[in-house]
Amino acid sequence: IAARAPTGEYVLWYTAVLPPGKLPVEGGQFCAGCDSGNSLAHCGTDANRNSSINLPTYMVHSTSPYGPWSMPQMVPGTDVFADSNFAPVINADGSLVALARNNVYRAADWRNVSSYDVIATWDDEGEDPFVWLDKKGIYHNIVHVRRANTVGRHYWSDDGGSSWTKSEGDTYTHVVRFTDGSTLEYGCRERPHIVLDREGVVTALTNGAAEQTCHSDTKPVVDYSYTLLQAVGAESAVR
């Protein structure tokens, strides 16, 4: 996930196993391509995973989106089995508030990962949070719930991210209406991200969307996906 620092830097947090670490695959079996956008049989999401290898989160930054990038720094507490889904907001004073799997992080300085501390936990009903701050100083986050018949959930915090309250209802569903009048029931809509305009107003939602299935190992595997952008509003539709 990416953010822009108030001093202009481009900042990335990503899951990786850095050299000389071993790749997290089982038995040396690597994916060998795809067929019409779908994974080959041995490329299943979890079936090919070597669970003894952790998936930590690292932070890098640059003054340009083209690099050069700083040396990776590991975020404390993320050297664990599952990727952390680290989702940060960099505040105007350079401090940081972030969510991970059930953990709330706070840091005095976004570029100093040694200052990243877990200050609380939160009830993450789904996964893949995306966090943003509105003009009133209230933090928000959106997650997806379930890998089939996916829905979105919205949470908010008015105490600097220490505690989070879940809003009622779904923020989105797996059914999308297009401007030509057609609808599509997606297999899943994961990785929700909010698009903000220059004034900080929410304008759109993006998802990693799969028309058939997500994370399927069942043959034939039909798991191609793409980025879906939907404008915000009760009558909004996808073009």
Side-chain angles (χ1 to χ4, degrees):
I1 199 167
R4 193 80 184 272
T7 45
E9 293 93 339
Y10 297 85
V11 193
L12 294 176
W13 292 262
Y14 61 95
T15 298
V17 179
L18 299 183
K22 296 181 179 179
L23 293 176
V25 292
E26 195 70 61
Q29 189 78 283
F30 295 94
C31 292
C34 60
D35 180 15
S36 299
N38 298 310
S39 299
L40 297 179
H42 70 263
C43 291
T45 301
D46 296 318
N48 202 33
R49 167 79 190 278
N50 182 345
S51 58
S52 68
I53 298 175
N54 289 341
L55 300 174
T57 298
Y58 293 89
M59 185 275 287
V60 295
H61 57 86
S62 173
T63 56
S64 166
Y66 304 104
W69 296 90
S70 64
M71 291 295 294
Q73 299 181 68
M74 185 188 297
V75 175
T78 64
D79 189 12
V80 294
F81 164 76
D83 55 308
S84 69
N85 289 334
F86 196 80
V89 167
I90 300 177
N91 298 311
D93 63 357
S95 64
L96 175 143
V97 171
L99 295 179
R101 293 182 186 269
N102 299 114
N103 286 329
V104 180
Y105 279 81
R106 189 175 291 161
D109 179 5
W110 65 265
R111 65 172 66 234
N112 180 11
V113 295
S114 65
S115 72
Y116 289 28
D117 290 321
V118 175
I119 62 165
T121 59
W122 69 292
D123 182 19
D124 184 359
E125 184 182 359
E127 61 177 340
D128 298 343
F130 179 87
V131 185
W132 72 101
L133 181 66
D134 70 18
K135 288 185 175 181
K136 297 180 180 179
I138 297 175
Y139 292 91
H140 301 262
N141 91 77
I142 186 172
V143 300
H144 87 261
V145 180
R146 298 191 297 269
R147 288 180 170 175
N149 299 322
T150 314
V151 296
R153 296 277 193 265
H154 168 257
Y155 295 76
W156 55 274
S157 171
D158 60 3
D159 62 0
S162 296
S163 61
W164 293 84
T165 301
K166 183 173 66 175
S167 300
E168 295 184 3
D170 301 330
T171 57
Y172 69 86
T173 72
H174 71 293
V175 181
V176 172
R177 180 175 62 85
F178 292 84
T179 53
D180 64 1
S182 64
T183 61
L184 181 60
E185 296 186 15
Y186 279 87
C188 66
R189 291 178 70 186
E190 299 194 1
R191 293 286 175 186
H193 283 62
I194 294 297
V195 179
L196 304 171
D197 67 13
R198 291 182 181 274
E199 303 302 319
V201 177
V202 175
T203 61
L205 165 73
T206 67
N207 293 97
E211 295 186 7
Q212 297 295 321
T213 59
C214 285
H215 310 286
S216 174
D217 296 333
T218 303
K219 300 178 183 179
V221 177
V222 182
D223 62 356
Y224 69 89
S225 63
Y226 47 78
T227 299
L228 179 78
L229 184 145
Q230 185 174 23
V232 168
E235 296 301 318
S236 64
V238 178
R239 295 184 181 275

